C-alpha cells in the first residue's frame, strides 16, 4: 500500500512539473509573444519579418521555448526564443545561414 501511494505521488508531481504555473502565459500567448520578438529582432538586424504562427511554444524547465526556421531569399533565418513563465524575455537567439554557392580561391581570368 505504501509503495502504491509513493508511486501515485511521484506521478502527480511529474505531471505538475510539465505544466505552466497558474496565472501565467498559455501556450498560444507564449507563441504569439515569441513570434513578435523573433520578427522584431529579424526586422532590426536584417529588415525581414519571416516568422508566422506555426508550432506552439513548449513549456520546459520553468520556461517557454519556441523555435522556427524560415527561408528568406538565399538565406535561412533560424530563431530560438526563451521566455520566463510570466512572459518576460530571457533570450532571443537569431541566426542566419547563407545557402549561396560561391567558388573558392581567387578569381582567375583566361589569357
Amino acid at each position: 500500500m505504501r509503495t502504491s501511494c509513493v508511486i501515485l505521488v511521484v506521478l502527480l508531481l511529474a505531471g505538475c512539473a510539465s505544466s505552466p504555473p497558474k496565472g501565467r502565459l498559455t501556450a498560444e500567448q507564449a507563441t504569439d509573444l515569441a513570434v513578435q520578438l523573433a520578427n522584431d529582432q529579424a526586422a532590426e538586424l536584417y529588415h525581414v519579418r519571416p516568422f508566422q504562427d506555426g508550432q506552439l511554444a513548449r513549456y520546459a524547465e520553468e520556461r517557454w521555448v519556441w523555435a522556427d526556421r524560415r527561408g528568406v531569399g538565399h538565406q535561412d533565418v533560424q530563431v530560438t526564443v526563451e521566455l520566463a513563465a510570466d512572459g518576460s524575455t530571457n533570450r532571443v537567439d537569431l541566426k542566419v545561414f547563407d545557402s549561396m554557392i560561391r567558388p573558392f580561391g581567387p578569381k582567375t581570368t583566361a589569357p
Side-chain angles (χ1 to χ4, degrees):
M1 179 73 173
R2 181 175 230 174
T3 304
S4 60
C5 287
V6 170
I7 292 172
L8 180 62
V9 169
V10 169
L11 290 174
L12 288 172
L13 289 175
C16 292
S18 63
S19 59
K22 291 183 180 178
R24 305 297 180 162
L25 293 178
T26 65
E28 292 81 11
Q29 291 170 327
T31 301
D32 291 344
L33 180 56
V35 169
Q36 178 185 345
L37 292 169
N39 277 323
D40 289 349
Q41 187 165 6
E44 181 181 328
L45 296 174
Y46 304 106
H47 310 292
V48 296
R49 299 184 75 78
F51 303 106
Q52 305 165 6
D53 291 338
Q55 184 175 3
L56 287 177
R58 67 185 194 290
Y59 193 78
E61 298 178 15
E62 307 287 327
R63 61 191 166 95
W64 288 104
V65 179
W66 181 81
D68 198 7
R69 186 173 188 161
R70 300 288 171 143
V72 179
H74 293 288
Q75 299 173 331
D76 287 342
V77 181
Q78 176 179 304
V79 69
T80 302
V81 179
E82 295 179 4
L83 304 169
D86 65 357
S88 58
T89 306
N90 289 341
R91 183 173 72 102
V92 178
D93 182 27
L94 186 76
K95 295 177 181 162
V96 173
F97 300 95
D98 189 347
S99 60
M100 289 287 294
I101 298 174
R102 293 183 178 85
F104 292 103
K107 208 173 193 182
T108 59
T109 58

